Amino acid sequence: MPQTELIAPIHAADASRLIALAEAAHTQKADLVELRLDRCVAAGAQLDEMLDCIRRFPLPTLVTNRHRAEGGAWPGGEQERLDSLLRADRAGARLIDVEFAHCADLPQAGLQARLVLSYHDFTGMPADLAGLAQRMFAAGADIAKIAVTPQDGADLAHLEQLASRCEAYELVAIGMGPVGLPSRLLAGAWCAPFTFGRLAEDDHGSAPGQPTLRDLRKLYRVPDQGPQTRIFGVLGNPVAHSLSPLIHNTAFIHHGIDAVYVPFQVSDAGAFWTACNAWIDGLSITIPHKSALLDHLHGIEERARRIGAINTIYRDEAGQAIGANTDADAAMTCIRSQVGNLDGCRALLLGAGGVARAIALALHKEGARVVISNRTLARAEHLAREIGCQAIALADAPTVDYRVLVNATSVGMNEDLSPWPADEHRPGAAVFDTVYTPLETRLLREAEAAGSAPICGLSMFTLQAVGQFERFCKIEAPAHLMHRHALEALGHSPDHDCGHEALVRAD
Ligand code: NAP
């Protein structure tokens, strides 16, 4: 099966800029450039000059002159638009793209270039995608490109079915926008002849949601994917900010595993899982879906059942989907790295949401004397009753003589706020912040200044991912490497000290 090729869309107002962009695409390891004649001419370029560039490009060319009705910018007439494609063919284009809706007006006899017939829907997707593809091939398409807009993650199932049932034909099934992003990142697994990636210097690309060439090649390894590639991802909403694709793909690459991990932005987790689970090997689950799939799985690990939330779905030996929660173990490893044995140790936990619940249960199980405090006291009391520990109002929490303070609220995330008064820190205590954006939260800075030992949440993030990876792949995760990549992605040196000792298995 031929490899999926990466195409960089380019346009410019003059030939020298256009050639420079084609050279950048070559440097960034595109296989082809897509010359957007409509955008060039709309920006003031001369058509003849643009067509002349095709022979000067260092890469083969797909030429597109997009109709305005399908998102194009061509300022001229329709006959002139179709003529420009015939001229591009004579100028040496490898592929020319014409809209399926307008292909009858383009004489196909004698074309040297291969013909891409394209279909765009910027607001939804037609019900009969397979019928549409058939009509496109019957109309002469060498390659059919169907770009639609999925409304929610479950719609990806229609694109996957379209791609997987199209083995005899060359078809590119693209979901536009953040919900559709996996269709671009899985182009190789879905056997597409090509997919589009933007240049590093291009902020938007030629369509909503286009990833960079670099990510397509290096992180998602699209040209190396095939129908056998195992598919994993993170399920959440929002999910674009997640570091999980970076660190899981890094681990797959490290071990040479033929698998890819993509972000699934999904509103209705149940509908997504029902529609798509047949082709998904495993998932990380994040906010707000940690409790949404408990009834959809074959089994739930005991700890996750007690917590009432999962952050992982993996397959057992029989291929059945099992839910797990790796947050609690990850947090315990971090806390133990500073505190040691937790038996009898007083732990003050701020928060009563999902993560607080996981940590409270784990602390209690290790023998810690847990006190829960939360903005909404009733939630703290409810959780405390269930676990069999104490709850306390936030205003009274400073009276607690804690050995370890844990922030399991979202206070401090992407803001310089602390959930704890600066003058109430205890010298010699340990302070663990589950928040890791930023890495050095106000809580940790103030704790350190007061003589407490700070433990940053990134180690927990890495370790919960390690627990997921080891369930996904049944081999040891490269924890240290995953952690270093996460640190770099957050703008820190990979050697930044943020509780590395918690990462017990440096590789
Ligand atoms: P959640 O279920 O939504 O719970 C949020 C908690 O934060 C609740 O206790 C809530 O109090 C409290 N809170 C929110 N805004 C507050 C405010 N302005 N002042 C005081 N308390 C406030 O979220 P979750 O899933 O437990 O996640 C909590 C945090 O854990 C996340 O924000 C994330 O930073 C962190 N986390 C870290 C990792 C990691 O690997 N390091 C993994 C997962 C999550 P109320 O009950 O009063 O609303």
Side-chain angles (χ1 to χ4, degrees):
M1 171 141 328
Q3 283 193 336
T4 300
E5 296 192 300
L6 304 185
I7 303 184
I10 56 170
H11 73 272
D14 62 71
S16 60
R17 173 73 182 142
L18 195 65
I19 299 282
L21 288 173
E23 279 164 2
H26 187 48
T27 308
Q28 291 172 42
K29 302 224 174 341
D31 297 301
L32 286 88
V33 287
E34 180 193 33
L35 170 55
R36 284 292 301 259
L37 286 179
D38 55 319
R39 292 191 171 179
C40 294
V41 173
Q46 295 298 315
L47 179 63
D48 289 352
E49 231 189 316
M50 297 295 100
L51 291 170
D52 195 44
C53 289
I54 295 173
R55 287 206 173 81
R56 298 165 59 198
F57 287 156
L59 295 168
T61 311
L62 157 67
V63 177
T64 300
N65 189 343
R66 183 68 67 233
H67 195 283
R68 279 182 175 267
E70 301 208 21
W74 177 244
E78 178 61 1
Q79 193 52 53
E80 203 189 349
R81 187 179 78 88
L82 294 173
D83 282 350
S84 73
L85 293 172
L86 297 175
R87 291 178 63 194
D89 176 51
R90 291 195 292 277
R94 185 202 275 183
L95 299 165
I96 57 172
D97 175 320
V98 65
E99 302 75 20
F100 175 47
H102 299 276
C103 68
D105 302 327
L106 184 85
Q108 292 181 22
L111 283 181
Q112 298 298 308
R114 301 190 74 214
L115 183 63
V116 180
L117 291 190
S118 59
Y119 173 92
H120 303 88
D121 184 339
F122 290 97
T123 57
M125 62 164 69
D128 184 14
L129 287 172
L132 171 64
Q134 268 177 13
R135 293 197 300 283
M136 292 169 85
F137 289 116
D142 292 308
I143 298 171
K145 188 195 98 178
I146 297 181
V148 294
T149 307
Q151 302 303 298
D152 200 8
D155 288 343
L156 291 172
H158 302 300
L159 292 173
E160 193 276 340
Q161 276 166 18
L162 178 68
S164 63
R165 287 185 194 155
C166 207
E167 276 166 16
Y169 299 104
E170 292 185 63
L171 182 133
V172 185
I174 296 176
M176 291 184 283
V179 173
L181 179 59
S183 66
R184 299 179 183 276
L185 307 178
L186 298 173
W190 289 6
C191 302
F194 58 75
T195 192
F196 297 92
R198 63 187 163 85
L199 293 170
E201 50 268 65
D202 177 357
D203 285 346
H204 303 294
S206 63
Q210 218 167 66
T212 60
L213 283 168
R214 186 187 156 78
D215 278 354
L216 287 172
R217 191 173 288 282
K218 296 267 188 211
L219 189 62
Y220 296 100
R221 295 149 287 132
V222 167
D224 301 328
Q225 296 171 8
Q228 76 296 333
T229 300
R230 297 171 68 202
I231 295 171
F232 297 87
V234 52
L235 179 70
N237 192 15
V239 81
H241 64 284
S242 174
L243 294 179
S244 294
L246 172 69
I247 66 173
H248 280 282
N249 282 316
T250 295
F252 291 146
I253 293 165
H254 173 82
H255 278 301
I257 295 171
D258 186 4
V260 62
Y261 183 108
V262 300
F264 291 110
Q265 181 181 303
V266 170
S267 299
D268 186 337
F272 169 77
W273 180 252
T274 304
C276 299
N277 87 80
W279 48 271
I280 291 178
D281 284 88
L283 288 174
S284 308
I285 317 277
T286 186
I287 294 172
H289 298 314
K290 287 191 176 180
S291 300
L293 295 177
L294 289 169
D295 297 332
H296 288 67
L297 306 178
H298 180 76
I300 305 283
E301 287 184 5
E302 182 50 33
R303 151 125 351 149
R305 187 174 296 287
R306 279 212 71 199
I307 295 170
I310 57 170
N311 75 339
T312 312
I313 298 177
Y314 65 97
R315 303 276 176 189
D316 67 10
E317 303 294 321
Q320 303 280 11
I322 307 295
N325 192 313
T326 64
D327 283 337
D329 278 347
M332 284 310 106
T333 305
C334 292
I335 295 169
R336 265 193 251 104
S337 73
Q338 281 293 343
V339 182
N341 187 353
L342 287 161
D343 195 17
C345 147
R346 190 176 297 279
L348 175 59
L349 180 65
L350 306 178
V355 167
R357 187 181 158 79
I359 295 177
L361 278 160
L363 282 168
H364 182 72
K365 188 158 177 259
E366 298 216 5
R369 290 179 291 155
V370 182
V371 182
I372 303 173
S373 194
N374 188 44
R375 176 178 62 177
T376 310
L377 179 59
R379 282 185 87 188
E381 288 172 339
H382 185 267
L383 181 57
R385 253 194 319 276
E386 193 187 327
I387 292 174
C389 66
Q390 190 191 341
I392 193 164
L394 268 181
D396 300 328
T399 60
V400 177
D401 181 20
Y402 62 82
R403 167 78 182 88
V404 56
L405 174 71
V406 178
N407 175 32
T409 75
S410 48
V411 179
M413 191 163 73
N414 302 321
E415 59 185 9
D416 194 33
L417 294 176
S418 169
W420 190 245
D423 52 359
E424 298 290 0
H425 281 287
R426 287 167 187 263
V431 178
F432 174 45
D433 201 343
T434 63
V435 172
Y436 60 89
T437 49
L439 210 53
E440 282 150 356
T441 58
R442 183 173 193 141
L443 172 70
L444 294 185
R445 286 200 318 270
E446 290 176 351
E448 191 165 25
S452 299
I455 314 169
C456 106
L458 191 67
S459 302
M460 172 181 168
F461 173 73
T462 305
L463 288 169
Q464 59 82 36
V466 163
Q468 295 176 332
F469 181 89
E470 294 183 350
R471 284 169 174 79
F472 293 157
C473 297
K474 327 288 186 232
I475 55 172
E476 196 171 294
H480 194 57
L481 184 73
M482 293 162 82
H483 194 68
R484 287 170 67 89
H485 275 76
L487 276 168
E488 274 186 307
L490 291 175
H492 293 267
S493 153
D495 297 317
H496 183 92
D497 181 8
C498 80
H500 273 86
E501 61 276 25
L503 296 172
V504 285
R505 285 167 301 158
D507 29 72

